[in-house]
Amino acid sequence: MIYLWFHLLLYAAPVVIAPGTHELQLKIRDIEFYEDRFTTLTFEDVSATDFQTKFNKNLNFTPQDYNTGSAYWMKIKLVIPEGETNYLLEFFDQTIDTLQVYLSHEGKPFKEYVMGDMLPFKEKPMAHKNFEIQLTGSGEYLLYFRVVSHEYADIRVGIRSYNRFVEYALAEYYLYGIFYGMILIISLYNMLIYSAMREIKYLYYTFYIISVGVFAMSVDGVGYQYLWRNSPEWNQVAHGVSLFAIIFWAILFSKKFLSLKIRAPKINTLLNVVFGLRILLFGYALFFDHSIFQNRNIELIPLIIIFAGSISVFNRGYKPARFFIVAFGVLFLGFILKAMLMLSFIPFTTLTYYSLHICFVFEMLFLSFALSDRVRILKENRDRAHKRIILQHEENAKLKDRMNAQLESLVEQRTAELKEKNTLLSQQKVEISEINSLLDLDNWRLRNNIKSIQMERLQNKELTYREFIEVFSDKNDCLRALSNLKWRSHYSCARCNNTVYSEGSAPFSRRCSKCGYQESPTTKTLFHGIKFPLEKAFYILYDSFNKDQYSLVEFAEMLELRRNTISDFKKRIKALTEEEKRTLHEIFKNLEDFVSSQK
């Protein structure tokens, strides 16, 4: 929202520029004005002698008093002393629809300048984002301004020397370059992260940052100067469309980053309602009533909900939300400062004018910290999980060593006893042989005890993934089970129905002795064409037959797979017929038939 500050005083004295002045901001007493409520007055009307008494002052004028249906005429008298030349008269508000300037120097005929964001950029007197008029000589100037704008117009007039203007413009564009360069770099960086990780939140964040850049360009006038120079009609809606895009992508990014649907369902529902209403309001404003775009304070509603949601999620133990809270807190502060500036609650300064830009910069930095913090925390959790796995393997190895040592000790003890008995009682050779057989059986049972227990637990639907892979330890175990299931009754070639086959080149495949067609155990099954380890697919199938106790996030962390991969495979499982499910279920019901055989 842009403001109109009319500093007016009836019969104002001329503004005299002191020698050596490089910059001057016109004050209240320097400007006279008249409101043309019917927008019918011409320059000839307002410059007539009998009309001069109608120009007046209004020291209590506020932005809320501005009437967007009126045209405002202003008059300024300006004196440049001898020897002082090359000044610029500058209007800082780039969003004025139409600005007509009539300038007379030393009583000469008036010269007309027509500017405004409803005209192509090339029609500006100077190729700068603001509106400038050159004052090339010393003496007295009389200027009339006619301002028409569909929104609040900020009529702040400044006078600068050429040197001061060049210095100020270069510094301003330099800072703009840094600001928009940061936006470009952060956008490209997050796009690269998205292309590598395929996490949609990075894509949402990229679009959010781009929307921030477009909004800043539409407010600064930089977009009008460089992007849509020949499309002035876009100036009338650019800030409203880009501000909606900021809120749109901010909501999507926040919902995904904070996982509001899981961690704060009530706030998520409220945000969805506000999101839907905001989309409807945007559609109505875009196609029917552009004046709604001026109500920018409504954007505080979704920002407050997002801010409250981030605090709620953080209080529930989600640590990556801490930088998110700071980021949206800074953005929230920026919108408040901008609103206070628009409502004249705080004075206009360079810092307050660019407060929203500064807050955008800090918000982008803190959101980037939040994303990196999330990755760091996930990495720490993964490392802790790996350490637990390593410790568990070490404990298993120690247990195995102890069991082997006990078995070796027991074997040595029994062997010594047998040797002693053999020397004493040669007639007991048969008994000793039976004892040795029993020892071998005990040894085999001890070595296979863990796997037998896991098979029993598998049949009782209790195995974790670590326990599951002790049964289906690799791809060959899974292929063996599928082969036993697929051809348990008989083999029949899928092409020619021949029943005679030989072993194929691939593990557990069969080659038709008649037509030579080689068929894999996975062909025409649920597991055909999958791009991740077969034993992991078996565990997902096993879990779906039992309690279906793991979510996609838990599966992704446990199996080290992407959630999309797991989700796609679960969809395959759900698409199976009941007969296919019962058939596959046989793998986990009859382990002796489908796992142990052919080993």
Side-chain angles (χ1 to χ4, degrees), residues 497-542:
N497 295 325
N498 178 39
T499 59
V500 181
Y501 68 92
S502 61
E503 297 297 327
S505 59
F508 303 101
S509 63
R510 298 189 179 185
R511 185 188 301 275
C512 178
S513 61
K514 183 176 181 181
C515 65
Y517 173 69
Q518 180 171 294
E519 184 175 351
S520 169
T522 62
T523 302
K524 296 181 180 181
T525 69
L526 172 71
F527 307 96
H528 182 67
I530 61 173
K531 303 298 183 182
F532 58 98
L534 190 57
E535 59 270 19
K536 295 184 179 182
F538 261 50
Y539 188 67
I540 297 173
L541 178 65
Y542 166 74

Short mmCIF file of all heavy atoms in Angstrom, two decimals, residues 497-542:
data_model
loop_
_atom_site.label_atom_id
_atom_site.label_comp_id
_atom_site.label_asym_id
_atom_site.label_seq_id
_atom_site.Cartn_x
_atom_site.Cartn_y
_atom_site.Cartn_z
N ASN A 497 4.18 -73.51 -23.20
CA ASN A 497 3.57 -74.46 -22.25
C ASN A 497 4.35 -75.76 -22.13
O ASN A 497 3.83 -76.77 -21.63
CB ASN A 497 2.13 -74.77 -22.65
CG ASN A 497 1.24 -73.55 -22.56
OD1 ASN A 497 1.44 -72.72 -21.68
ND2 ASN A 497 0.29 -73.42 -23.48
N ASN A 498 5.60 -75.78 -22.55
CA ASN A 498 6.43 -76.97 -22.39
C ASN A 498 6.74 -77.17 -20.90
O ASN A 498 6.94 -76.20 -20.17
CB ASN A 498 7.73 -76.79 -23.18
CG ASN A 498 8.67 -77.99 -23.01
OD1 ASN A 498 8.22 -79.13 -22.98
ND2 ASN A 498 9.96 -77.70 -22.89
N THR A 499 6.79 -78.40 -20.44
CA THR A 499 6.98 -78.70 -19.01
C THR A 499 8.40 -79.16 -18.70
O THR A 499 8.70 -79.46 -17.55
CB THR A 499 5.98 -79.76 -18.56
OG1 THR A 499 6.17 -80.96 -19.33
CG2 THR A 499 4.56 -79.27 -18.71
N VAL A 500 9.27 -79.20 -19.70
CA VAL A 500 10.65 -79.66 -19.48
C VAL A 500 11.55 -78.41 -19.49
O VAL A 500 11.41 -77.56 -20.38
CB VAL A 500 11.10 -80.65 -20.56
CG1 VAL A 500 12.54 -81.12 -20.28
CG2 VAL A 500 10.15 -81.84 -20.60
N TYR A 501 12.45 -78.33 -18.53
CA TYR A 501 13.28 -77.15 -18.42
C TYR A 501 14.68 -77.54 -17.94
O TYR A 501 14.90 -78.68 -17.51
CB TYR A 501 12.67 -76.16 -17.43
CG TYR A 501 12.69 -76.65 -16.00
CD1 TYR A 501 13.76 -76.33 -15.15
CD2 TYR A 501 11.66 -77.46 -15.50
CE1 TYR A 501 13.79 -76.79 -13.85
CE2 TYR A 501 11.69 -77.92 -14.20
CZ TYR A 501 12.76 -77.58 -13.37
OH TYR A 501 12.80 -78.02 -12.10
N SER A 502 15.56 -76.54 -18.01
CA SER A 502 16.89 -76.66 -17.43
C SER A 502 17.17 -75.39 -16.64
O SER A 502 16.43 -74.42 -16.74
CB SER A 502 17.95 -76.84 -18.54
OG SER A 502 17.96 -75.72 -19.40
N GLU A 503 18.24 -75.40 -15.83
CA GLU A 503 18.58 -74.22 -15.04
C GLU A 503 18.98 -73.08 -15.96
O GLU A 503 19.76 -73.26 -16.89
CB GLU A 503 19.70 -74.53 -14.06
CG GLU A 503 19.36 -75.58 -13.01
CD GLU A 503 18.23 -75.11 -12.12
OE1 GLU A 503 18.15 -73.89 -11.87
OE2 GLU A 503 17.43 -75.97 -11.69
N GLY A 504 18.48 -71.86 -15.69
CA GLY A 504 18.82 -70.69 -16.48
C GLY A 504 20.14 -70.08 -16.03
O GLY A 504 20.75 -70.51 -15.06
N SER A 505 20.58 -69.04 -16.76
CA SER A 505 21.84 -68.37 -16.42
C SER A 505 21.72 -67.53 -15.15
O SER A 505 22.68 -67.35 -14.43
CB SER A 505 22.29 -67.49 -17.60
OG SER A 505 21.29 -66.53 -17.89
N ALA A 506 20.53 -66.97 -14.90
CA ALA A 506 20.33 -66.16 -13.69
C ALA A 506 19.98 -67.08 -12.52
O ALA A 506 19.44 -68.18 -12.71
CB ALA A 506 19.21 -65.15 -13.91
N PRO A 507 20.27 -66.64 -11.29
CA PRO A 507 19.97 -67.49 -10.12
C PRO A 507 18.49 -67.88 -10.06
O PRO A 507 17.61 -67.03 -10.17
CB PRO A 507 20.38 -66.62 -8.93
CG PRO A 507 21.37 -65.66 -9.48
CD PRO A 507 20.96 -65.39 -10.88
N PHE A 508 18.23 -69.20 -9.91
CA PHE A 508 16.91 -69.77 -9.73
C PHE A 508 15.97 -69.53 -10.92
O PHE A 508 14.76 -69.65 -10.78
CB PHE A 508 16.27 -69.23 -8.44
CG PHE A 508 17.08 -69.49 -7.22
CD1 PHE A 508 17.85 -68.48 -6.67
CD2 PHE A 508 17.12 -70.76 -6.63
CE1 PHE A 508 18.63 -68.70 -5.56
CE2 PHE A 508 17.89 -70.98 -5.51
CZ PHE A 508 18.66 -69.97 -4.98
N SER A 509 16.51 -69.16 -12.07
CA SER A 509 15.68 -69.02 -13.26
C SER A 509 15.59 -70.37 -13.98
O SER A 509 16.39 -71.28 -13.73
CB SER A 509 16.25 -67.96 -14.19
OG SER A 509 17.54 -68.35 -14.65
N ARG A 510 14.63 -70.53 -14.87
CA ARG A 510 14.43 -71.78 -15.61
C ARG A 510 14.32 -71.48 -17.10
O ARG A 510 13.64 -70.53 -17.50
CB ARG A 510 13.18 -72.50 -15.11
CG ARG A 510 13.28 -72.88 -13.63
CD ARG A 510 12.16 -73.76 -13.16
NE ARG A 510 12.30 -74.12 -11.76
CZ ARG A 510 11.51 -74.96 -11.10
NH1 ARG A 510 10.48 -75.52 -11.73
NH2 ARG A 510 11.73 -75.22 -9.82
N ARG A 511 15.00 -72.31 -17.89
CA ARG A 511 15.02 -72.15 -19.34
C ARG A 511 14.23 -73.29 -20.00
O ARG A 511 14.45 -74.47 -19.69
CB ARG A 511 16.45 -72.12 -19.85
CG ARG A 511 16.57 -71.83 -21.35
CD ARG A 511 17.99 -72.00 -21.82
NE ARG A 511 18.90 -71.15 -21.11
CZ ARG A 511 19.14 -69.88 -21.45
NH1 ARG A 511 18.51 -69.36 -22.50
NH2 ARG A 511 19.98 -69.16 -20.77
N CYS A 512 13.32 -72.93 -20.85
CA CYS A 512 12.50 -73.93 -21.54
C CYS A 512 13.38 -74.73 -22.49
O CYS A 512 14.16 -74.18 -23.27
CB CYS A 512 11.38 -73.23 -22.32
SG CYS A 512 10.34 -74.36 -23.25
N SER A 513 13.28 -76.06 -22.42
CA SER A 513 14.10 -76.92 -23.27
C SER A 513 13.62 -76.94 -24.70
O SER A 513 14.34 -77.38 -25.59
CB SER A 513 14.08 -78.36 -22.71
OG SER A 513 12.75 -78.86 -22.72
N LYS A 514 12.43 -76.38 -24.93
CA LYS A 514 11.87 -76.41 -26.29
C LYS A 514 12.12 -75.09 -27.03
O LYS A 514 12.68 -75.10 -28.13
CB LYS A 514 10.38 -76.71 -26.21
CG LYS A 514 9.71 -76.84 -27.57
CD LYS A 514 8.24 -77.23 -27.41
CE LYS A 514 7.55 -77.39 -28.76
NZ LYS A 514 6.12 -77.75 -28.61
N CYS A 515 11.67 -73.98 -26.46
CA CYS A 515 11.80 -72.69 -27.15
C CYS A 515 12.95 -71.85 -26.62
O CYS A 515 13.27 -70.81 -27.19
CB CYS A 515 10.50 -71.88 -27.05
SG CYS A 515 10.09 -71.36 -25.37
N GLY A 516 13.59 -72.25 -25.52
CA GLY A 516 14.72 -71.53 -24.98
C GLY A 516 14.37 -70.30 -24.16
O GLY A 516 15.25 -69.57 -23.73
N TYR A 517 13.09 -70.08 -23.91
CA TYR A 517 12.68 -68.90 -23.13
C TYR A 517 13.11 -69.07 -21.67
O TYR A 517 12.85 -70.10 -21.06
CB TYR A 517 11.17 -68.72 -23.22
CG TYR A 517 10.65 -67.66 -22.32
CD1 TYR A 517 10.93 -66.32 -22.57
CD2 TYR A 517 9.86 -67.98 -21.20
CE1 TYR A 517 10.46 -65.33 -21.74
CE2 TYR A 517 9.38 -66.99 -20.37
CZ TYR A 517 9.68 -65.66 -20.65
OH TYR A 517 9.20 -64.68 -19.82
N GLN A 518 13.79 -68.06 -21.18
CA GLN A 518 14.27 -68.08 -19.79
C GLN A 518 13.36 -67.21 -18.93
O GLN A 518 13.13 -66.05 -19.26
CB GLN A 518 15.70 -67.58 -19.72
CG GLN A 518 16.26 -67.57 -18.30
CD GLN A 518 17.75 -67.27 -18.27
OE1 GLN A 518 18.57 -68.03 -18.74
NE2 GLN A 518 18.09 -66.13 -17.70
N GLU A 519 12.90 -67.75 -17.85
CA GLU A 519 11.95 -67.03 -16.99
C GLU A 519 12.52 -66.91 -15.58
O GLU A 519 12.96 -67.89 -14.99
CB GLU A 519 10.61 -67.77 -16.96
CG GLU A 519 9.54 -67.03 -16.15
CD GLU A 519 8.18 -67.71 -16.24
OE1 GLU A 519 8.05 -68.64 -17.07
OE2 GLU A 519 7.28 -67.33 -15.48
N SER A 520 12.50 -65.68 -15.05
CA SER A 520 12.98 -65.41 -13.68
C SER A 520 11.86 -65.68 -12.68
O SER A 520 10.68 -65.58 -13.02
CB SER A 520 13.44 -63.96 -13.58
OG SER A 520 13.66 -63.62 -12.24
N PRO A 521 12.19 -65.98 -11.42
CA PRO A 521 11.15 -66.17 -10.40
C PRO A 521 10.28 -64.92 -10.21
O PRO A 521 9.14 -65.02 -9.79
CB PRO A 521 11.94 -66.50 -9.14
CG PRO A 521 13.22 -67.06 -9.63
CD PRO A 521 13.53 -66.36 -10.89
N THR A 522 10.85 -63.73 -10.51
CA THR A 522 10.07 -62.49 -10.29
C THR A 522 9.17 -62.13 -11.45
O THR A 522 8.34 -61.22 -11.33
CB THR A 522 11.02 -61.32 -10.02
OG1 THR A 522 11.84 -61.12 -11.17
CG2 THR A 522 11.88 -61.57 -8.80
N THR A 523 9.34 -62.80 -12.58
CA THR A 523 8.53 -62.45 -13.78
C THR A 523 7.04 -62.63 -13.48
O THR A 523 6.62 -63.62 -12.90
CB THR A 523 8.94 -63.34 -14.96
OG1 THR A 523 10.34 -63.15 -15.21
CG2 THR A 523 8.15 -62.95 -16.21
N LYS A 524 6.26 -61.60 -13.88
CA LYS A 524 4.80 -61.60 -13.71
C LYS A 524 4.41 -61.70 -12.23
O LYS A 524 3.38 -62.30 -11.89
CB LYS A 524 4.15 -62.72 -14.52
CG LYS A 524 4.32 -62.56 -16.03
CD LYS A 524 3.62 -63.68 -16.79
CE LYS A 524 3.81 -63.52 -18.29
NZ LYS A 524 3.12 -64.56 -19.06
N THR A 525 5.25 -61.18 -11.38
CA THR A 525 4.92 -61.16 -9.95
C THR A 525 4.96 -59.72 -9.46
O THR A 525 5.33 -58.80 -10.20
CB THR A 525 5.92 -62.00 -9.12
OG1 THR A 525 7.19 -61.34 -9.12
CG2 THR A 525 6.06 -63.39 -9.68
N LEU A 526 4.61 -59.56 -8.20
CA LEU A 526 4.62 -58.25 -7.55
C LEU A 526 6.01 -57.61 -7.58
O LEU A 526 6.14 -56.40 -7.59
CB LEU A 526 4.16 -58.43 -6.08
CG LEU A 526 4.28 -57.24 -5.13
CD1 LEU A 526 3.25 -56.21 -5.51
CD2 LEU A 526 4.06 -57.70 -3.70
N PHE A 527 7.06 -58.43 -7.65
CA PHE A 527 8.42 -57.94 -7.51
C PHE A 527 9.09 -57.67 -8.84
O PHE A 527 10.25 -57.30 -8.89
CB PHE A 527 9.26 -58.96 -6.73
CG PHE A 527 8.66 -59.35 -5.41
CD1 PHE A 527 7.89 -60.50 -5.28
CD2 PHE A 527 8.82 -58.53 -4.31
CE1 PHE A 527 7.33 -60.85 -4.07
CE2 PHE A 527 8.27 -58.88 -3.10
CZ PHE A 527 7.51 -60.04 -2.97
N HIS A 528 8.38 -57.81 -9.94
CA HIS A 528 8.98 -57.62 -11.25
C HIS A 528 9.33 -56.15 -11.48
O HIS A 528 8.50 -55.27 -11.28
CB HIS A 528 8.03 -58.10 -12.34
CG HIS A 528 8.62 -57.96 -13.73
ND1 HIS A 528 9.68 -58.71 -14.15
CD2 HIS A 528 8.28 -57.14 -14.76
CE1 HIS A 528 9.98 -58.38 -15.39
NE2 HIS A 528 9.15 -57.42 -15.78
N GLY A 529 10.57 -55.88 -11.85
CA GLY A 529 10.97 -54.54 -12.25
C GLY A 529 11.26 -53.58 -11.11
O GLY A 529 11.44 -52.39 -11.36
N ILE A 530 11.29 -54.04 -9.84
CA ILE A 530 11.55 -53.09 -8.75
C ILE A 530 13.03 -52.69 -8.79
O ILE A 530 13.89 -53.47 -9.21
CB ILE A 530 11.20 -53.70 -7.37
CG1 ILE A 530 12.05 -54.95 -7.07
CG2 ILE A 530 9.73 -54.02 -7.29
CD1 ILE A 530 11.87 -55.48 -5.68
N LYS A 531 13.31 -51.46 -8.32
CA LYS A 531 14.65 -50.88 -8.41
C LYS A 531 15.37 -50.84 -7.06
O LYS A 531 16.35 -50.11 -6.90
CB LYS A 531 14.57 -49.46 -8.98
CG LYS A 531 13.89 -49.37 -10.33
CD LYS A 531 14.62 -50.15 -11.40
CE LYS A 531 13.95 -49.98 -12.76
NZ LYS A 531 14.62 -50.77 -13.81
N PHE A 532 14.89 -51.59 -6.08
CA PHE A 532 15.56 -51.60 -4.78
C PHE A 532 15.68 -53.05 -4.33
O PHE A 532 15.06 -53.95 -4.90
CB PHE A 532 14.80 -50.75 -3.75
CG PHE A 532 13.37 -51.18 -3.51
CD1 PHE A 532 13.04 -51.99 -2.42
CD2 PHE A 532 12.36 -50.77 -4.37
CE1 PHE A 532 11.74 -52.36 -2.20
CE2 PHE A 532 11.05 -51.14 -4.14
CZ PHE A 532 10.73 -51.94 -3.06
N PRO A 533 16.52 -53.34 -3.30
CA PRO A 533 16.80 -54.72 -2.91
C PRO A 533 15.53 -55.55 -2.67
O PRO A 533 14.58 -55.09 -2.03
CB PRO A 533 17.63 -54.57 -1.63
CG PRO A 533 18.29 -53.25 -1.78
CD PRO A 533 17.33 -52.39 -2.49
N LEU A 534 15.57 -56.80 -3.15
CA LEU A 534 14.39 -57.67 -3.08
C LEU A 534 14.05 -58.02 -1.64
O LEU A 534 12.87 -58.15 -1.29
CB LEU A 534 14.67 -58.95 -3.89
CG LEU A 534 13.49 -59.90 -4.13
CD1 LEU A 534 12.35 -59.17 -4.83
CD2 LEU A 534 13.94 -61.11 -4.95
N GLU A 535 15.07 -58.15 -0.76
CA GLU A 535 14.77 -58.51 0.63
C GLU A 535 14.01 -57.40 1.34
O GLU A 535 13.19 -57.66 2.22
CB GLU A 535 16.05 -58.87 1.38
CG GLU A 535 17.10 -57.76 1.43
CD GLU A 535 18.06 -57.82 0.26
OE1 GLU A 535 17.71 -58.46 -0.78
OE2 GLU A 535 19.15 -57.24 0.37
N LYS A 536 14.26 -56.13 0.95
CA LYS A 536 13.52 -55.01 1.53
C LYS A 536 12.08 -55.02 1.06
O LYS A 536 11.15 -54.71 1.81
CB LYS A 536 14.19 -53.68 1.20
CG LYS A 536 15.58 -53.54 1.81
CD LYS A 536 16.17 -52.17 1.54
CE LYS A 536 17.56 -52.04 2.17
NZ LYS A 536 18.15 -50.71 1.97
N ALA A 537 11.88 -55.39 -0.21
CA ALA A 537 10.51 -55.51 -0.72
C ALA A 537 9.77 -56.63 0.01
O ALA A 537 8.58 -56.51 0.31
CB ALA A 537 10.54 -55.77 -2.22
N PHE A 538 10.49 -57.76 0.31
CA PHE A 538 9.87 -58.84 1.07
C PHE A 538 9.40 -58.36 2.44
O PHE A 538 8.31 -58.72 2.90
CB PHE A 538 10.89 -59.98 1.26
CG PHE A 538 10.70 -61.10 0.25
CD1 PHE A 538 10.61 -60.81 -1.11
CD2 PHE A 538 10.61 -62.42 0.64
CE1 PHE A 538 10.44 -61.83 -2.03
CE2 PHE A 538 10.44 -63.44 -0.27
CZ PHE A 538 10.36 -63.14 -1.62
N TYR A 539 10.24 -57.50 3.09
CA TYR A 539 9.85 -57.03 4.42
C TYR A 539 8.64 -56.11 4.37
O TYR A 539 7.79 -56.14 5.26
CB TYR A 539 11.03 -56.33 5.09
CG TYR A 539 10.72 -56.01 6.54
CD1 TYR A 539 10.57 -57.01 7.50
CD2 TYR A 539 10.54 -54.70 6.95
CE1 TYR A 539 10.27 -56.73 8.81
CE2 TYR A 539 10.23 -54.40 8.27
CZ TYR A 539 10.09 -55.43 9.20
OH TYR A 539 9.78 -55.15 10.49
N ILE A 540 8.58 -55.27 3.35
CA ILE A 540 7.39 -54.40 3.20
C ILE A 540 6.15 -55.26 3.01
O ILE A 540 5.09 -55.01 3.61
CB ILE A 540 7.58 -53.44 2.02
CG1 ILE A 540 8.76 -52.50 2.29
CG2 ILE A 540 6.31 -52.62 1.78
CD1 ILE A 540 9.12 -51.62 1.11
N LEU A 541 6.27 -56.35 2.21
CA LEU A 541 5.15 -57.26 2.00
C LEU A 541 4.80 -57.97 3.30
O LEU A 541 3.62 -58.11 3.66
CB LEU A 541 5.52 -58.28 0.91
CG LEU A 541 4.46 -59.35 0.60
CD1 LEU A 541 3.21 -58.71 0.01
CD2 LEU A 541 5.03 -60.41 -0.34
N TYR A 542 5.83 -58.41 4.03
CA TYR A 542 5.60 -59.09 5.30
C TYR A 542 4.86 -58.20 6.30
O TYR A 542 3.91 -58.61 6.94
CB TYR A 542 6.97 -59.51 5.85
CG TYR A 542 6.95 -59.93 7.31
CD1 TYR A 542 6.40 -61.15 7.72
CD2 TYR A 542 7.49 -59.09 8.29
CE1 TYR A 542 6.38 -61.50 9.05
CE2 TYR A 542 7.47 -59.45 9.61
CZ TYR A 542 6.92 -60.67 10.00
OH TYR A 542 6.90 -61.02 11.30
#
